[in-house]
Amino acid sequence: MEEKLSRRQGRERAFLLAFSATFGNEDIPGLIAQSRELEENALDAFGEQLVLGYYSHRDEIDAQIAKRLRGWTINRISRVSLCALRLAISEMLYGDEKLPGVAINEAVELAKKYGGEDDYQFVNGVLGAVSRELVPAEAGYVEPQQEAGAPGVEPAPC
């Protein structure tokens, strides 16, 4: 029987499985089955959708990340940041809910919990750029108009 998880727990478990796959075992269906067998950090349907979504679209997702790097290559990004980015972009572009703000916030929280001191800022900057460029058009989202004279918000640096 599948354990009932919150979306946050589902994302975290998906992140942990994707992170473990970066150490050489990219048999994702096998890792999912193993996690269910061991009943340790087993994915629910939502978490499985995130992981499989990334692995189904990995080339496109990695291209979206690489396109936003200035003076870096994707190989220089920490594993934690890369996994958080990949899953969040998968959720934003291929997930059912199309809630980019939630995906970004959750990825930032994962980077804070598992990453280095400044990883969350990097994750936030890259995901913000992806969201501004891709997600609004695909999700039918319209950017709210800023009131005249209201201060603007500067995006986080990448």
Side-chain angles (χ1 to χ4, degrees):
M1 187 169 137
E2 187 175 291
E3 182 181 358
K4 180 71 176 154
L5 301 174
S6 69
R7 289 289 201 229
R8 176 168 280 183
Q9 290 169 317
R11 285 182 187 93
E12 185 168 9
R13 288 186 181 187
F15 168 82
L16 292 171
L17 187 133
F19 182 76
S20 71
T22 66
F23 290 95
N25 184 3
E26 289 201 14
D27 173 23
I28 300 306
L31 286 172
I32 292 170
Q34 182 182 8
S35 76
R36 288 197 173 135
E37 249 177 56
L38 298 174
E39 296 180 5
E40 185 174 316
N41 291 320
L43 295 183
D44 62 357
F46 176 72
E48 186 174 329
Q49 177 190 22
L50 291 177
V51 172
L52 293 175
Y54 163 65
Y55 281 93
S56 296
H57 301 281
R58 76 175 98 194
D59 292 336
E60 301 107 81
I61 291 170
D62 283 356
Q64 291 300 324
I65 295 168
K67 189 164 102 172
R68 287 159 180 86
L69 301 177
R70 293 184 210 122
W72 280 56
T73 63
I74 205 161
N75 295 332
R76 288 188 59 201
I77 301 173
S78 74
R79 289 177 193 222
V80 168
S81 293
L82 194 54
C83 287
L85 288 168
R86 287 170 167 169
L87 291 175
I89 293 171
S90 173
E91 182 175 355
M92 290 190 304
L93 298 181
Y94 308 109
D96 295 334
E97 295 176 346
K98 300 291 187 215
L99 299 171
V102 173
I104 293 169
N105 183 59
E106 294 295 328
V108 167
E109 292 303 316
L110 288 168
K112 283 180 180 178
K113 183 173 181 176
Y114 294 103
E117 189 174 318
D118 296 326
D119 284 1
Y120 75 94
Q121 293 172 332
F122 175 78
V123 167
N124 186 57
V126 172
L127 292 177
V130 170
S131 176
R132 283 187 299 280
E133 186 177 318
L134 296 177
V135 176
E138 293 182 7
Y141 175 81
V142 177
E143 189 76 32
Q145 296 296 318
Q146 188 174 344
E147 292 182 31
V153 177
E154 293 296 317
C158 290

